[in-house]
Amino acid sequence: MVVHAAVSAAPVIRIVAAVIRDSAGRTLLVRKHGAAVFQQPGGKRDPADEDDLATLARELREELGCELVRHSARLLCRASAPAANERGYVVEAEVYEVAVDGEIRAQAEIAELCWIDPAAPGDVPVARLSREHILPKLGR
């Protein structure tokens, strides 16, 4: 007799995330209200059939008050890690390097902005997705 072990998979949150860099090569991280760690700006598709760049444009406008420069978007990676703010979930992200127009400011669900050197983030508490998958691709 063959016995199959139950496969327990964490529920998945699918997001689109942005890497925004300044002229010094630093990258922008954001901290949401009530969160302890910083992460890339971005978010979930809404509605579910929204494409990646439409999602990023909407999220950047809502959360940071800036506009995505659509032709600048370059897929950096696809990555997953335990979710920073939803215990027991895994986040799967499509990550794009993008340019933006306008002044970047924390608004809506964003409590704080932080510009870091991706090769040396210092003491900034960074979400695992950013720390383990995204920042290493930028620090080269």
Side-chain angles (χ1 to χ4, degrees):
M1 169 156 80
V2 177
V3 177
H4 296 279
V7 177
S8 65
V12 173
I13 301 169
R14 289 182 175 77
I15 66 162
V16 183
V19 170
I20 300 169
R21 298 182 93 167
D22 67 8
S23 60
R26 297 176 306 169
T27 190
L28 176 68
L29 296 180
V30 300
R31 186 181 59 76
K32 295 182 178 188
H33 291 285
V37 296
F38 286 83
Q39 60 192 28
Q40 307 307 132
K44 301 172 195 149
R45 290 175 185 82
D46 181 35
D49 62 348
E50 188 176 55
D51 72 30
D52 289 354
L53 296 184
T55 298
L56 275 184
R58 178 181 49 76
E59 290 286 344
L60 295 176
R61 190 177 315 109
E62 290 172 2
E63 296 180 349
L64 301 176
C66 59
E67 296 296 322
L68 170 69
V69 177
R70 286 185 74 88
H71 70 274
S72 72
R74 178 182 71 82
L75 182 65
L76 178 68
C77 67
R78 292 177 178 93
S80 66
N85 300 314
E86 293 88 358
R87 185 179 211 116
Y89 284 77
V90 168
V91 66
E92 289 183 355
E94 307 288 325
V95 183
Y96 290 84
E97 268 194 281
V98 301
V100 296
D101 280 331
E103 180 185 348
I104 296 171
R105 62 189 180 283
Q107 58 186 38
E109 63 192 66
I110 303 303
E112 188 177 0
L113 306 175
C114 177
W115 291 93
I116 64 160
D117 177 344
D123 295 336
V124 175
V126 179
R128 285 182 62 182
L129 180 73
S130 295
R131 186 178 70 241
E132 295 174 3
H133 299 286
I134 300 170
L135 296 181
K137 292 186 180 321
L138 304 177
R140 297 180 190 152

